Structures are given as C-alpha cells and as structure tokens.
Amino acid sequence: MQGEELDLSAIVKDVQMRKSISVRKFWDTLFSFVALGFLILGLFVLLLLVFQLFVDGREKLASLGFYFSFPAPSAEEAGILSAWVGSIFVIMVTVLFSIPIGVAAGIYLEEYAKTSSSQFVRFLTDFIEINITNLAGVPSIVYGLLGLEIFKETLKLGNSVLTAGMTLGILVLPVIVVTTREALKSVPSALKEGSIAIGASKWQTIWDLILPASIGSILTGVIVSVSRAIGETAPLITVGALTFIAFLPPLPFSPRLEVNVDTGEAFQVGNYGPFDWLFSGYTVMPIQMFDWVGRPSPDFRVNAAAAGVVLVLMTLALNSAAIFLRIYFRKRIKW
Amino acid sequence: MRSTVFQFAAAAATASTLISFNSVQAQQAISIDGSSTVFPIMEVAASEFQKTSGGIRVTVALSGTGGGFRKFCNGETDISNASRPITTREIEACRSRGVAFIEMPIAFDGLAVVVNPQNTWARDLTVAELKRIWEPGSKINNWSQVRQGFPNVPLRLFGPGTASGTFDYFTEAIVGKSRSSRTDFTASEDDNVLVQGVSRDRGALAFFGKAYYDENKTRVTSLGIVNDRGQAVRPTNQTVSNGTYNPLSRPMFIYVSANSAKRPEVRRFITFLMNRAPAIVSKADYIPFTRTQYSQILSIFNRNRVGTVFGGKNQVGAEISEVLSRIPQ
C-alpha cells in the first residue's frame, strides 16, 4: 500500500518536472528564434545595403576602365586607380609598421612584464594596460591629430604615404597589442612549464613554442584591425590625403623624368630610389568615394557606389584571409 | 600570411608598373589645396593640363579655404583655392613666414535660395525678409510670418554646415555679419542632403551653391532675390555674371605663391588655366568671367603683382570689372 502511495507522489513529481522542463525548453527555443531573428535582421540590412550599392554601381563595376583610370572631372572618365593603389600602399606601410611593434609590445606585456619581480614594473604594466585598452576605443580623428603633430609637423614627413601608413599604424596598434596578449594567454601554461622544465630559455619558449601556437589568433586580430584601417577616412584627411591625384607612387628604381616646360618633352634624369614611394602623395578609396558622394552631378553617385563595392570587397578579402589563416594554423597545432 | 602579403604586394606592384610605363610621370609637381567650392575648377584644369603637359604632376587637395591658407602660408603648397578673399590674420601669417602671394579671381559662384516645387506662393524674397528669417534668435517658423498673404504653412529651414564658406558668405550677405545666424535649422555638409530635405517638405527653404540647384531643377525651385535696384532676379549664368543677381553671387579666387610663380611649370599651368578658363569654369558648373577679364587677370600674374585688393575683408556683391581695376594697398 505504502509503496503505491510513494509511487503516486513520484509520478506527480515526474509529471511536474516534465512540465517544467517543457516550459523551459519552450523559452529556450523561443529565445533562440528571437536571437536568430535579430541576426537575420542585422545581416539582411547589411546585405540590402551592399546589394543596393552593387545595383547602383553595376555599370561601372563591369567596365575595366574604371579600375585603371585616374580621377577625372567627368563621371564617365573617372576611375579609382590612384585610390586603390594608394590604399594598398598605405596599408602595406601600416602592416609593416604596426605588426612588429604591436606583437613585440604584446609579448613583452604578457610574458615579461607580468611576471617581473619589480613592483614598479608591475605598476607601470597595469598603467600601460589601462591606457591601451582605452586607446582601442579612441575615435580615429584623434589619431589623425596625433599623426599630424608627430609625423607631419615634428618629423617633417609631409603629405606622404609614410605619414598616412604610420598614422593608421598607431590607430591599429592598441588592437594588435590587446589581441596578441589574448592569443598568448590562450596557450596552455602546462606547455610553457614543460618547455622550461626541459631546460629551454624563456626566449626559446616564446619563439619556438608560444608564438607558433598562438600565431593564428594573433594574425586574425591583426588582419581584422587592418581591415578596419582600410576604411578610415577622418585621420587621413587630417594628415593631408589628396583628393585629385593622377599619378601613382613611384616604384623603386623606376626612371625619374623631367619635363622641358616649354616643349612638353620628357627626358630621364636618373632613377627613383628604393624608398621614394614612401614620400609620394596619395589618395585612398574612402576619400575618393566621399568626394564623389558630395558632387552635384548624380552621375558621380554611380562611381561612388561602385567604389563602395570595391572597398567592401577589399575588406572582405582581408577578413577571409584572416579566417583562412586561423583554420590553417589551427590545423598545425598538435597537442 | 607572409606569402599572401607578398603576392598581394607583387600584384599591386605589377599593376602599377604596367600603368606607370604607360603614363609618363615627371618629377615636377604643382600642389594645390584649399576651398572645396573651387576644387571642381582646379580638378578640371589639373586633369586637362596633365594630358598636354608631358606629365607634369598636379595634385589638388581640399582642406577648406582656411585650412588651405594655413598650409599655403607655411610654404607647403604652390596654389591656394579660396571662396573668399584672404583675411587680415592670414595675410599676417603669410607675411611672418615670408610668403608673398598673387591674388587671381577665377570665377563666379552664385548661391541659390530654393523652395519645394509645391510652394505656389513664394516667387521671390527680399534681402530684408531673408534677414528676418535667418538672423540669430529669429522666431519665424511659419510662412505667414514671412510676408502678408503667405499661407499658414510651417517653415522648415535647411542650410550648409557652419564650417563651409557658403554659410559664411550667406550670413555676411543677408544678416550683415559673417557666421551670425539662427541655429535651429537642419545643417548638412552634403548639399545633396539639403536638396533631398527640400524636395520632401512643402514648407522648406534652403540655400546652397547654384551648381547643386542646376543639377536638381526638377526637385527644387529657386526663388528670385530682390536686388539693390528693386528687381527680383533668379540665379542664372547671365544674371550672376552681369551682377544683377546680387547680393548672393561672389567671385572666387586662387592665390599663387610668389616663390612658386618663379617656377616654369607653375607659370605654364597658370597660363594654361587663364587661356582656357571660360571652358574649364563652365565644365565645372561655375560661371566664367569674360575672355578679356581673364587676360587682364593673367597680366596680374605676369606682372607678378603681389598683395590683395580686398584689404583683408570680405566684400558683398563685389563687381569683377571694378575689382580688376583696383590696385592693392
């Protein structure tokens, strides 16, 4: 008798529990649908925008001349040659400038400063850390002013690719430092301890073990931040990007010409040095696009839309490179 | 990663080699900066000049009139574009760094005052009426307050951003003091936004450069402005160039550094610009002076006449023939 009674209460409990589980499951499903809904909404708006750009700019995107001609006063002739070449040159400088400094700073902060026995160094590290995290959120125009003051006014580098690249370099530096540190943190400490236990020095541990293990995540962070930089306009306008420029930065060792002003004849007066391209004037994709959007003639909006699509594709290419590299390096990690 | 970067770089390098072999690039370069209003003219000029000059490089940037003068007086640029005459403070800045300049008027610009096409009541406005609407602290927010007989329709104002030379000039010409204006209007640096705003609102009123009005004649209607002779005049190329559309038309300028003017490529560029100015200016949607006036202006350059004829002040409704007859103090 008693057993039956117990059974009954167990059944009641069971039913109640099932009910409460199914209610929770319902909420769970509902939430996931709501979340999915917002995701789709966000993506949909984005895709709609890109699609609209594509539709507006399709005739320009289809013509090869658009990619290989300089800006011009008439919308039909105007192209993005100096803009995309300028963007690539500037980004190259940004990458070469910010990766070594950013990664080295990240390694120092994570591997050396944190474990330092000196109280002062640890305090300094905390101070730097707060600043770097803050810097990652500073509006880009502030970096423009910094670049103007340091690179252009103090170091007298002029309106050059070098100034622009380094300005964008400091812009992405905080993000690179932060992602490098996160990547280094994610390496299991057993690995480091093991390496040191078998007699490897700190540097050997970092160079041969920690860096290879975290390089995928570091590169992902670097590329994502660089692809942010490629779309920046404000800091470059501040440091003097040009709007109309109908030539490209001179390649190393290309012939340096001089024109006889009266006859218009050009003759060679030597060659460009290997670094002259760094000091050339430039324009970049977003500036070109911005210039076209503001024109009175509606024809230029087609050009602006096409330039927008190219810029989105450039960013997409960089981001997919990041994903590819992450997968590639993950595969090589064996532990 | 490394190989990707190198491939990317190699592709870019190959592309730019191919291109730079096609177009000859000279070492000489002329750098132009300044007003975004004058920019279209210099873009046309630079682009056409480079086709015939055997590859002398010309670059044009837009830092605004004030930003342009800052670089110009620093000796960073050869030519500075300006939508107003140089100010006393800028003259001082140039003098303290030993930069002398040659002032050359380049074209007319007109400001259009526009309303929605469905606005059937307003055909023209007087300067006094515009002043009452735009002066600081103005409480006018309905068309019925503007003039007796105008209907009861809310008035919505649009205008260029306060950083623009257009805003400076409009406030100077209408309110009487540069940059003094009511603040409760919709401002945008992008004039296309203003066109859009006016085209959607029956009671809207806006002002912006005439070129934007010319491109959008179906979406907005221009008002006649009653000039000092009591005639209501609409902005057309003719009324702007013969001086009857006043006070909302103004000359624009280029300032050439006297040091740069010694360089043969700069001389050639200025000569090219002045000889073809009527075509270049029209192509950029501005209003040219006459051919004779351009040759007068070129002779200012050729005589190397430094200094300004405006004495550091802006001047509303300046007539070009009179300006050209002045002698700089």
Side-chain angles (χ1 to χ4, degrees), chain A residues 235-303:
Chain A
L236 294 186
I237 288 183
T238 322
V239 297
L242 299 162
T243 307
F244 175 85
I245 170 169
F247 56 86
L248 301 175
L251 284 177
F253 313 116
S254 59
R256 183 197 288 269
L257 300 166
E258 199 170 303
V259 172
N260 180 322
V261 174
D262 297 321
T263 60
E265 251 175 277
F267 49 92
Q268 193 173 345
V269 289
N271 288 72
Y272 283 105
F275 299 112
D276 277 341
W277 62 276
L278 285 172
F279 297 95
S280 165
Y282 65 96
T283 190
V284 291
M285 290 292 292
I287 289 181
Q288 185 66 73
M289 204 180 147
F290 180 69
D291 173 43
W292 282 338
V293 169
R295 295 296 180 100
S297 156
D299 299 347
F300 273 107
R301 255 155 273 165
V302 176
N303 291 29

Side-chain angles (χ1 to χ4, degrees), chain B:
Chain B
M1 165 68 190
R2 220 165 268 167
S3 68
T4 325
V5 167
F6 282 138
Q7 278 169 15
F8 202 42
T14 323
S16 53
T17 324
L18 288 174
I19 295 142
S20 55
F21 277 134
N22 289 337
S23 68
V24 185
Q25 285 182 21
Q27 191 187 358
Q28 293 106 319
I30 303 170
S31 66
I32 306 174
D33 201 339
S35 166
S36 55
T37 318
V38 188
F39 174 80
I41 299 176
M42 296 314 261
E43 188 192 34
V44 176
S47 147
E48 292 189 356
F49 179 68
Q50 282 180 113
K51 281 179 199 155
T52 62
S53 68
I56 294 173
R57 303 187 288 181
V58 185
T59 61
V60 194
L62 23 109
S63 309
T65 302
F69 274 128
R70 199 159 48 241
K71 289 184 189 165
F72 179 76
C73 295
N74 248 337
E76 289 176 39
T77 55
D78 299 315
I79 299 173
S80 206
N81 300 333
S83 59
R84 54 160 174 78
I86 190 168
T87 64
T88 316
R89 195 178 292 178
E90 286 156 356
I91 296 171
E92 268 314 306
C94 275
R95 186 177 297 154
S96 69
R97 291 188 184 84
V99 174
F101 54 82
I102 303 167
E103 180 180 69
M104 303 171 75
I106 178 85
F108 280 119
D109 181 24
L111 300 191
V113 178
V114 300
V115 292
N116 188 284
Q118 285 176 39
N119 179 329
T120 49
W121 54 92
R123 286 280 147 265
D124 52 64
L125 286 175
T126 64
V127 173
E129 282 162 347
L130 279 173
K131 181 178 177 180
R132 275 214 311 280
I133 296 173
W134 284 97
E135 68 192 350
S138 166
K139 289 276 173 285
I140 293 181
N141 48 27
N142 194 300
W143 279 95
S144 60
Q145 292 165 282
V146 176
R147 187 189 290 176
Q148 280 223 318
F150 279 178
N152 177 12
V153 176
L155 170 70
R156 274 191 206 89
L157 296 172
F158 295 83
T162 54
S164 70
T166 311
F167 175 80
D168 289 357
Y169 188 80
F170 183 84
T171 47
E172 174 134 20
I174 296 299
V175 182
K177 187 162 173 276
S178 181
R179 312 187 57 76
S180 139
S181 154
R182 70 195 281 176
T183 49
D184 55 341
F185 65 97
T186 310
S188 172
E189 297 294 345
D190 182 355
D191 292 353
N192 291 318
V193 173
L194 304 178
V195 171
Q196 212 159 52
V198 175
S199 69
R200 282 179 187 161
D201 189 335
R202 194 163 80 105
L205 177 86
F207 65 92
F208 42 71
K210 181 176 160 296
Y212 284 87
Y213 162 67
D214 290 342
E215 291 287 347
N216 295 287
K217 277 184 176 162
T218 52
R219 303 169 72 194
V220 296
T221 311
S222 76
L223 292 183
I225 304 297
V226 179
N227 66 13
D228 49 9
R229 273 174 275 171
Q231 303 160 307
V233 179
R234 277 163 191 271
T236 63
N237 285 0
Q238 208 199 342
T239 58
V240 170
S241 66
N242 68 18
T244 51
Y245 184 71
N246 67 40
L248 290 181
S249 66
R250 56 172 173 175
M252 301 183 294
F253 304 88
I254 57 170
Y255 286 81
V256 186
S257 154
N259 285 333
S260 308
K262 289 173 195 146
R263 300 208 323 255
E265 64 269 21
V266 175
R267 301 204 75 84
R268 181 163 169 185
F269 176 71
I270 294 290
T271 314
F272 175 90
L273 174 61
M274 287 298 142
N275 286 341
R276 304 204 184 178
I280 290 174
V281 169
S282 310
K283 200 171 171 191
D285 284 325
Y286 286 107
I287 303 126
F289 307 135
T290 63
R291 234 164 227 298
T292 340
Q293 283 164 340
Y294 279 116
S295 52
Q296 271 178 283
I297 299 167
L298 181 59
S299 81
I300 294 178
F301 178 76
N302 285 335
R303 278 184 284 127
N304 205 30
R305 194 196 78 184
V306 297
T308 172
V309 296
F310 288 89
K313 287 192 290 287
N314 201 349
Q315 188 193 357
V316 170
E319 281 216 25
I320 190 65
S321 49
E322 187 264 328
V323 166
L324 290 178
S325 65
R326 288 186 209 166
I327 296 156
Q329 306 96 336

Side-chain angles (χ1 to χ4, degrees), chain A residues 147-178:
Chain A
L148 178 72
E149 194 53 43
I150 297 180
F151 300 127
K152 208 177 149 195
E153 304 291 334
T154 313
L155 299 178
K156 302 263 181 257
L157 296 176
N159 297 339
S160 59
V161 171
L162 188 62
T163 307
M166 295 207 298
T167 305
L168 291 185
I170 10 178
L171 174 82
V172 299
L173 210 50
V175 184
I176 293 181
V177 174
V178 170

